[in-house]
Amino acid sequence: MTAPRFTAACVQMRSTRDPLRNRDDAVRLIREAAAAGAQFVQTPEVTNLCERDTKRLRETSQSEDQHDVLAGLRQAARETKVWLQIGSLSVKAGEKIANRAYMIDPQGEIVARYEKIHLFDVDLPNGETWRESNTFSGGDRATLVETPWGLIGMSICYDVRFPYLYRAEAEAGAVMLTAPACFTRQTGEAHWQVLQRARAIENGAFMVSAAQGGLHEDGRESYGHSIIVDPWGRVLAEAGNEPGLIMAEIDLALVADARQRIPTLRHTRSFAVETRRSEQPKLDAAE
């Protein structure tokens, strides 16, 4: 039996403070991707809204059942007959905001949700400070989605720094892993591509990650460089930092090939960690 092939597209955006404008930009690019032959389309993290001001974020975000951007993207999937992964939307959920991803089928139905597990609470050397946990609720469940091509594992942005998440998804059968993002320019320049390639190589899986790119209205600067990587770590397509599309053919025969050549999933073993204490005396600080 021939392994399935399909065309994947990443929608790169520069989301603004206006959710409806962002919705329309995303829909336009989804339609362009479908017209060019994409069967799977992914948008980036916070597709609907880039907003650093917590008060404005709360005021602008909507609950899932009243979410104009979600409704518009579901309609776009229905019209274009693509599988659509919404990288994430800010969604009102109790006292905090959920950073929630969606998988939408070609009928426009929500078949899966995923909430970002690892929240970005960091102080960067250039003075940028991020405290996502002050605003966003964190998820506690990994999500795989059944598609016509096999299982796809979902994640969001900062999750990509936690390899055990992707290993768990690969061990559960994922053939494609995803990490749509709004990476900062500073961390993206340092680590974005190597992390994407590493997650693909470690798990013998495709990695598909749409991104935000450029200087946003709220003052943040995101790295862009939406990327599609094959299971051997080869970059099949990569964007710059401008809004637009990248596309690549996903040949799932390459997953079986990579996992046969380097069978790390079969070689995983449990182990204990022990600390050996030295019998040597500690050096004086002056020494």
Side-chain angles (χ1 to χ4, degrees), residues 135-154:
T135 306
F136 293 99
S137 56
D140 61 4
R141 188 176 299 271
T143 300
L144 297 179
V145 187
E146 283 191 4
T147 73
W149 313 290
L151 292 174
I152 295 176
M154 300 176 71

Side-chain angles (χ1 to χ4, degrees), residues 64 70 74 83-89 100-105 108-115 141-147 151-155:
E64 184 174 293
L70 176 59
R74 290 179 64 185
W83 280 82
L84 175 63
Q85 182 178 357
I86 303 172
S88 83
L89 304 173
R100 186 177 296 162
Y102 295 87
M103 190 73 79
I104 311 298
D105 72 13
E109 298 300 319
I110 298 170
V111 296
R113 296 169 177 83
Y114 169 79
E115 293 191 12
R141 188 176 299 271
T143 300
L144 297 179
V145 187
E146 283 191 4
T147 73
L151 292 174
I152 295 176
M154 300 176 71
S155 76

Side-chain angles (χ1 to χ4, degrees), residues 65-123:
D65 61 346
Q66 298 178 327
H67 209 289
D68 293 326
V69 177
L70 176 59
L73 296 181
R74 290 179 64 185
Q75 179 62 27
R78 190 178 302 120
E79 289 175 358
T80 58
K81 304 301 181 187
V82 300
W83 280 82
L84 175 63
Q85 182 178 357
I86 303 172
S88 83
L89 304 173
S90 57
V91 180
K92 278 188 178 176
E95 295 183 0
K96 290 193 174 183
I97 305 296
N99 191 351
R100 186 177 296 162
Y102 295 87
M103 190 73 79
I104 311 298
D105 72 13
Q107 289 71 50
E109 298 300 319
I110 298 170
V111 296
R113 296 169 177 83
Y114 169 79
E115 293 191 12
K116 187 175 183 178
I117 293 173
H118 303 96
L119 300 181
F120 193 51
D121 289 359
V122 300
D123 300 303

Side-chain angles (χ1 to χ4, degrees), residues 51-60 97 131 134-135:
E51 179 56 79
R52 295 196 68 175
D53 184 276
T54 299
K55 184 174 182 292
R56 291 181 64 170
L57 178 65
R58 293 184 188 279
E59 291 173 348
T60 310
I97 305 296
R131 292 289 182 273
N134 288 346
T135 306

